[in-house]
Amino acid sequence: MTFDNGPLRALVQRYDLSGPRYTSYPTVPAWTTDFGESDYQSALNRFSEAPEPLSLYVHIPFCNSRCYYCGCNVVIKRHDPALGTPYLDALAQEITGVTQHLPAKPLVHQFHIGGGTPNYLEDDQTRRLFQMFHDRFEFAETAEISIEVDPRYLTREMLLTLKELGVNRISMGIQDFDPTVQKSVNRVQSVESVTEVMNWSQELQIGSINMDLIYGLPFQTAETMQRTIDQVIQLRPDRIAFYSYAHIPGQISHQKILDAYPMAEGEEKLNLFLNGRSQLIEAGYQAIAMDHFALPTDELAQAFNARKLYRNFMGYTTQPAFQYLGFGVSAIGNIAGTFVQNIKEIAPYIDSVSQGRLPVTRGILLTPDDAIRQWVIGQLMCHFEVDKAVFEHKFILSFDHYFEDEFKHLQPFIDDGLIQNKTATLLVQESGRWFVRNIAMVFDAYLAKQPQQFSRTV
Ligand SMILES: C[S@@+](CC[C@H](N)C(=O)[O-])C[C@H]1O[C@@H](n2cnc3c(N)ncnc32)[C@H](O)[C@@H]1O
Ligand code: SF4
């Protein structure tokens, strides 16, 4: 595949670097352990002075087995209901600890249960989890309540429980349907079992269904990828997240297992994405921002078209989610101008909350410059465009003047035809979309000080 502005290969060679995925700015490596419990408390107090609707995230880290590509914070143990109880006890303590700094029953418009595998919990444990949050927060009638599930362990009874609890969005991990790929990454699941889960979800009218796919996994070829995408199209989820495999074996040691297998890189890897993208668009999906797809009837497509798409740790969302609280191990919050992350390991997390402490491990208080760059990077990642007039109105600053230095670094992208610097906007071109992470990196003030610790941008 070639673009008007030159062969794809040359662009990939130039721009396939290590770089952040910008689910936050400043990115996690810029946060510091100097930010502690008292900083989080101050942020909660500041929030309470002028409360806004909240988004909540809770992390359930347990999984039955390890998928070798996985970069999430997980605890692997073959199904053991006894694991859930002490963890839920600790979550209850954390919820009490956090909400004592907030006004009574703050309003929630988004609740996301992520993992790990939240459906690792028994049904009565899931009911308890919901009750703990309902006791301390007021859920809006229209609240978006979403959960990540592993379809290999989802039963119809569990889905029924989730429906009763008000869940209206389900995201399930698929990754790939090819048996060789699945075996290599230690995640075997059949199309038939996923079809069954889809049938139950439709029968129970759960709401919007998302499927996660990954390109760049071992043994994936143009042919296997095409088959997987065809199978996913047949299942017709409302949304599809088509992620680039983030391979960082230096930081995630179990990923080293996959180094023994052939994996597409560079141009070959990008072509897996571009071919899959064409298939999905042909099948009626709309491409949303960097790596998401949605049926035109889905809210995500509508939000993208109305320029009301946002980005956070869960990827793209229709909710502004400027005020976010995270609960559980490794959970991240974004509240009153700060990012805050919890302790990652279970034992010290339980220890911390049982002493009545807020289990903070690190965070950052955003400076005015951070907030400006955060907005610009968010616009690029969500809309491939920065409207200079909106910037000027929002920050009372001239975009061209404020980013005078950055424009020097943008020149190669302009020369390569990947972006256009117009009087009114900075516009990422169609061919520049695959390199939007590289373009965002120009606006990242911390990158030069960070050793290479991110996945490849292609
Ligand atoms: C918490 S998991 C999904 C829920 C459930 N545990 C499952 O596996 O079905 C979230 C998603 O992160 C994505 N993911 C995990 N590790 C990744 C990596 N190294 N690169 C790209 N995507 C990754 C996968 O697509 C996965 O479905
Ligand atoms: S992909 Fe899902 S099931 Fe697999 S290890 Fe990661 S969180 Fe667990």
Side-chain angles (χ1 to χ4, degrees):
M1 184 166 180
T2 56
F3 294 110
D4 293 347
N5 50 301
L8 183 61
R9 181 169 303 148
L11 291 173
V12 171
Q13 274 167 3
R14 211 164 310 150
Y15 296 117
D16 186 12
L17 309 168
S18 153
R21 296 179 64 237
Y22 291 113
T23 50
S24 77
Y25 181 83
T27 56
V28 177
W31 307 0
T32 148
T33 49
D34 292 343
F35 184 103
E37 203 182 340
S38 60
D39 298 298
Y40 187 19
Q41 258 173 37
S42 308
L44 293 171
N45 293 337
R46 276 201 307 284
F47 168 82
S48 301
E49 283 162 19
E52 292 172 39
L54 277 167
S55 293
L56 307 179
Y57 173 80
V58 58
H59 192 76
I60 308 295
F62 312 113
C63 294
N64 288 281
S65 58
R66 188 180 301 286
C67 310
Y68 295 149
Y69 56 79
C70 185
C72 307
N73 183 39
V74 297
V75 173
I76 307 291
K77 184 122 195 267
R78 181 126 329 262
H79 188 65
D80 178 4
L83 271 187
T85 305
Y87 189 66
L88 290 175
D89 291 345
L91 276 174
Q93 286 167 325
E94 188 191 359
I95 295 169
T96 306
V98 170
T99 51
Q100 71 187 0
H101 300 286
L102 299 177
K105 291 209 123 187
L107 186 68
V108 167
H109 65 170
Q110 193 180 28
F111 181 40
H112 185 82
I113 309 164
T117 303
N119 58 311
Y120 186 98
L121 296 179
E122 299 285 292
D123 278 12
D124 57 339
Q125 292 173 330
T126 306
R127 287 182 196 281
R128 182 180 166 207
L129 178 76
F130 271 74
Q131 194 55 51
M132 281 162 20
F133 281 98
H134 279 292
D135 284 346
R136 295 289 182 147
F137 296 93
E138 186 67 44
F139 282 52
E141 288 249 324
T142 53
E144 179 183 305
I145 305 180
S146 54
I147 188 164
E148 290 170 18
V149 296
D150 183 337
R152 292 174 297 173
Y153 303 98
L154 194 65
T155 62
R156 190 179 175 283
E157 287 63 40
M158 276 181 194
L159 264 179
L160 197 56
T161 303
L162 295 176
K163 168 83 181 171
E164 276 171 30
L165 291 169
V167 168
N168 46 30
R169 291 189 191 286
I170 289 200
S171 177
M172 53 180 99
I174 302 295
Q175 329 310 348
D176 193 292
F177 277 129
D178 183 81
T180 309
V181 176
Q182 288 191 352
K183 202 155 165 265
S184 74
V185 299
N186 195 36
R187 186 193 173 99
V188 175
Q189 68 191 95
S190 67
V191 183
E192 290 71 28
S193 64
V194 177
T195 307
E196 194 173 33
V197 171
M198 277 304 277
N199 291 341
W200 294 332
S201 311
Q202 273 150 8
E203 175 210 331
L204 298 172
Q205 300 187 323
I206 286 284
S208 174
I209 308 284
N210 173 77
M211 288 186 183
D212 291 338
L213 301 176
I214 303 183
Y215 64 95
L217 291 175
F219 297 107
Q220 279 178 339
T221 63
E223 290 72 36
T224 67
M225 200 76 248
Q226 187 180 6
R227 257 198 314 275
T228 289
I229 302 268
D230 272 341
Q231 285 159 323
V232 170
I233 288 169
Q234 290 298 315
L235 292 166
R236 208 95 189 137
D238 303 275
R239 299 179 186 180
I240 295 162
F242 192 20
Y243 293 125
S244 167
Y245 172 40
H247 187 60
I248 30 176
Q251 287 168 54
I252 302 171
S253 58
H254 59 256
Q255 289 187 343
K256 284 187 193 132
I257 300 168
L258 302 185
D259 281 331
Y261 304 129
M263 273 184 277
E265 282 177 16
E267 187 191 13
E268 198 189 343
K269 184 177 176 189
L270 185 55
N271 273 326
L272 291 177
F273 173 75
L274 293 177
N275 294 337
R277 181 180 187 271
S278 304
Q279 258 177 286
L280 290 169
I281 290 172
E282 212 163 291
Y285 283 90
Q286 191 184 339
I288 310 291
M290 193 172 62
D291 48 15
H292 281 52
F293 297 84
L295 292 175
T297 45
D298 191 87
E299 236 187 302
L300 199 69
Q302 287 157 7
F304 179 66
N305 295 332
R307 291 184 72 100
K308 287 196 170 135
L309 190 69
Y310 304 92
R311 189 157 171 80
N312 65 20
F313 293 97
M314 264 61 67
Y316 291 103
T317 158
T318 55
Q319 307 282 331
F322 294 132
Q323 306 291 344
Y324 221 101
L325 293 176
F327 296 90
V329 284
S330 70
I332 286 170
N334 179 11
I335 188 96
T338 64
F339 283 113
V340 52
Q341 183 169 34
N342 278 353
I343 296 169
K344 286 190 173 174
E345 297 80 23
I346 292 212
Y349 164 78
I350 292 182
D351 203 38
S352 173
V353 294
S354 64
Q355 291 170 37
R357 307 187 57 175
L358 297 173
V360 179
T361 184
R362 58 179 162 178
I364 189 168
L365 174 63
L366 272 67
T367 64
D369 179 67
D370 290 337
I372 288 170
R373 290 170 191 274
Q374 179 186 51
W375 186 83
V376 171
I377 289 174
Q379 294 296 301
L380 288 169
M381 299 300 290
C382 291
H383 304 296
F384 300 122
E385 183 177 11
V386 181
D387 184 321
K388 295 181 185 177
V390 175
F391 175 92
E392 291 175 14
H393 180 72
K394 200 170 167 60
F395 299 108
I396 324 291
L397 288 167
S398 148
F399 183 84
D400 289 345
H401 185 67
Y402 195 82
F403 291 112
E404 221 172 316
D405 281 347
E406 281 72 10
F407 273 106
K408 291 178 207 139
H409 300 285
L410 282 177
Q411 199 54 48
F413 295 96
I414 296 172
D415 295 343
D416 282 331
L418 302 183
I419 49 175
Q420 249 188 314
N421 181 27
K422 300 185 178 180
T423 314
T425 71
L426 186 68
L427 187 64
V428 179
Q429 303 294 96
E430 177 86 7
S431 55
R433 294 183 170 201
W434 335 128
F435 307 105
V436 67
R437 286 165 69 181
N438 303 73
I439 296 167
M441 283 160 73
V442 171
F443 294 92
D444 185 337
Y446 293 89
L447 215 50
K449 292 171 238 148
Q450 290 165 351
Q452 298 223 330
Q453 49 189 310
F454 301 103
S455 58
R456 315 282 298 179
T457 51
V458 171

